[in-house]
Amino acid sequence: YMEQARDIYTRIHDSPGIAVITMDIGFAHMSLGEFAEAEKCYEAALQIRKEEGNLSSQAALFNNFGVLHQLQGEYDEAVQRLEEGLLCARQTGYRRMEAMTLLSLGDVYVEVEDFDLARDTYRQAEETIAEVNEPFLRHYLVLARINQALLQGEPRAARRLLDEVSSEIRSGKEGYENGLLELLRGRLELQDGQVRQAVASIRDAQ
């Protein structure tokens, strides 16, 4: 259906529509692990957004590029793309995308175990999220910090953060957030030697 929609936008010469649907198609390819196809779509959409001078949409695309490179272990490229997106978001005052990009950058730094830089980046994200006041971003940040605490062997910090956010995330009933919450809970329980509870939590995450 998305390919059909893109064909329609192409026939009526609707460039913004083409960019939106091409980005969505790219995200679908990325989710399926079809990274080369995803990159082609993102590049095509980015070219349109550059021709339009649409920095807000460029910021969103650069964030997707960053995630795409991270998934492939291309960390230098991920950071470069995310920094480009951060610049676009700040130039346009797009605070929500600035926060999302900072979260993505923090995730990359955690993955390469540059924990000090990750902590600083998450702190910057926290300041921006306080202005945006969006629950999803606030929850994502806490979950990202739990993940970092687990990787650094700090189970007490992870447990404290988990206890702080659990009831709020569960009451929201968002599938992605609840799944990640239970996965992190399972990892923490494994570290504590609570194998049965860990298995139950990880199953709940599915």
Side-chain angles (χ1 to χ4, degrees), residues 7-43:
D7 289 343
I8 293 170
Y9 285 130
T10 301
R11 285 199 298 272
I12 63 176
H13 306 290
D14 183 343
S15 293
I18 295 170
V20 169
I21 198 66
T22 301
M23 181 177 173
D24 288 343
I25 292 170
F27 186 82
H29 282 302
M30 184 170 70
S31 300
L32 293 170
E34 298 167 353
F35 300 134
E37 291 301 317
E39 186 167 9
K40 288 178 185 177
C41 289
Y42 290 157
E43 288 288 3

Side-chain angles (χ1 to χ4, degrees), residues 55 84-94 98:
L55 290 175
E84 289 180 87
L86 192 58
L87 179 62
C88 289
R90 286 173 170 167
Q91 285 179 335
T92 57
Y94 191 178
E98 179 181 345

Side-chain angles (χ1 to χ4, degrees), residues 33-188:
E34 298 167 353
F35 300 134
E37 291 301 317
E39 186 167 9
K40 288 178 185 177
C41 289
Y42 290 157
E43 288 288 3
L46 181 62
Q47 182 60 38
I48 294 171
R49 294 310 195 185
K50 285 184 174 180
E51 291 171 358
E52 295 172 344
N54 188 329
L55 290 175
S56 295
S57 294
Q58 288 178 50
L61 277 159
F62 281 127
N63 186 69
N64 282 19
F65 268 119
V67 174
L68 177 64
H69 286 297
Q70 181 186 0
L71 288 171
Q72 297 175 88
E74 299 168 353
Y75 300 114
D76 290 341
E77 293 87 345
V79 170
Q80 179 183 341
R81 289 296 204 173
L82 290 169
E83 287 179 344
E84 289 180 87
L86 192 58
L87 179 62
C88 289
R90 286 173 170 167
Q91 285 179 335
T92 57
Y94 191 178
R95 300 294 276 169
R96 182 179 186 278
M97 185 52 62
E98 179 181 345
M100 288 186 67
T101 304
L102 285 166
L103 290 171
S104 295
L105 268 171
D107 292 347
V108 173
Y109 294 139
V110 166
E111 197 159 317
V112 299
E113 298 187 353
D114 191 337
F115 295 124
D116 289 338
L117 192 51
R119 189 175 294 106
D120 181 65
T121 305
Y122 287 146
R123 179 190 56 75
Q124 293 179 57
E126 182 176 28
E127 294 172 359
T128 308
I129 290 167
E131 297 179 29
V132 176
N133 193 29
E134 181 177 320
F136 171 78
L137 294 176
R138 188 171 65 252
H139 295 162
Y140 188 99
L141 173 61
V142 177
L143 294 170
R145 283 174 162 164
I146 293 170
N147 178 57
Q148 180 175 351
L150 288 171
L151 290 172
Q152 289 191 259
E154 300 173 354
R156 288 185 180 179
R159 174 67 69 185
R160 175 179 56 79
L161 290 167
L162 195 69
D163 290 342
E164 286 177 6
V165 78
S166 289
S167 60
E168 185 176 349
I169 289 179
R170 283 174 169 170
S171 65
K173 298 182 180 179
E174 294 292 335
Y176 175 80
E177 296 170 48
N178 274 282
L180 187 53
L181 175 72
E182 294 308 316
L183 177 60
L184 291 168
R185 186 188 307 281
R187 287 171 54 194
L188 179 59

